[in-house]
Amino acid sequence: MTYDSRSPQLLAQVVAAGGLAVIPTDTVYGIVCDPCNDAAIDRLFQAKHRPRTKSIQVLLDEVQAMDRLDLSLPAPLDRLSDVLLPGPFSPIALVGSSCPLRTPRREPEGPTQAVRVPDSSICRALLQVTGPLAASSANRSGNPSVETVQQAESELGDSVDLYLDGGPTPGSVASTVVEADKNDPDGIHVLRQGVIGETRIRAILSGQTSRGEGR
């Protein structure tokens, strides 16, 4: 359905019932579900044919939502987030013991979670009603990301309960995923190249780029 004023509540109902939905973000279309519902998360992986060994992100309506989820950003990801969020930047957060999410990746050093605050009025309006959403790109695993809801439906078909059409996204490139790395001179490791180039990220850390210039 075309996005309208009813869409946030409709999406919230689908998510609360353990369903899957496709929504637009500021990068590509994403498939989303309740990040605290194991069965819904299983459905998301099955719909994408995505191996469970791969992680998924959690979308938030604001950076401050991390505190409520017992997530924290290690240095220097906190500095980068001050400049790059909202936007196509996905830092890897540390997960506290009271975090309710069922999506964190289990690491030897402790669980981690990729988070993102999309720079999209539609997406953030949805998130303000639904709360955090587990998310991955709305395509079969291994296929290119999609820019329209029609492309998403062609990829995922009736495995999704609700498709929200917010028009074409700005492009087909996903967000840049970055983790902290104490062995790197700048303290980071780029896990996935995306909209924001590594050169710009490192320029921010060296003080050569300020807010609004880092994308």
Side-chain angles (χ1 to χ4, degrees), residues 155-212:
E155 288 278 310
L156 302 173
D158 58 9
S159 63
V160 170
D161 303 294
L162 174 67
Y163 288 89
L164 288 180
D165 187 354
T169 60
S172 59
V173 181
S175 63
T176 302
V177 181
V178 181
E179 68 177 353
D181 182 356
K182 62 183 179 181
N183 297 314
D184 179 85
D186 292 322
I188 63 163
H189 175 218
V190 177
L191 293 172
R192 182 179 72 192
Q193 298 284 346
V195 174
I196 304 171
E198 183 170 351
T199 299
R200 288 189 175 184
I201 289 173
R202 293 188 183 276
I204 293 169
L205 293 174
S206 66
Q208 299 175 29
T209 304
S210 60
R211 177 176 286 277

Side-chain angles (χ1 to χ4, degrees), residues 63-180:
V63 175
Q64 291 75 15
M66 282 191 282
D67 292 336
R68 299 191 290 273
L69 295 171
D70 198 11
L71 300 173
S72 60
L73 292 177
L77 300 184
D78 52 352
R79 290 173 51 201
L80 290 171
S81 295
D82 285 343
V83 177
L84 298 174
L85 292 179
F89 175 64
S90 299
I92 303 296
L94 304 179
V95 179
S97 59
S98 64
C99 179
L101 302 176
R102 307 296 294 174
T103 49
R105 185 182 182 94
R106 305 299 166 182
E107 305 283 2
E109 300 80 10
T112 61
Q113 176 65 61
V115 297
R116 196 155 87 77
V117 181
D119 189 15
S120 159
S121 58
I122 289 178
C123 191
R124 287 165 69 190
L126 294 169
L127 291 163
Q128 286 166 6
V129 175
T130 64
L133 293 174
S136 185
S137 55
N139 52 272
R140 290 288 180 92
S141 186
N143 288 355
S145 300
V146 300
E147 303 173 55
T148 68
V149 76
Q150 291 79 17
Q151 292 170 340
E153 191 164 8
S154 177
E155 288 278 310
L156 302 173
D158 58 9
S159 63
V160 170
D161 303 294
L162 174 67
Y163 288 89
L164 288 180
D165 187 354
T169 60
S172 59
V173 181
S175 63
T176 302
V177 181
V178 181
E179 68 177 353

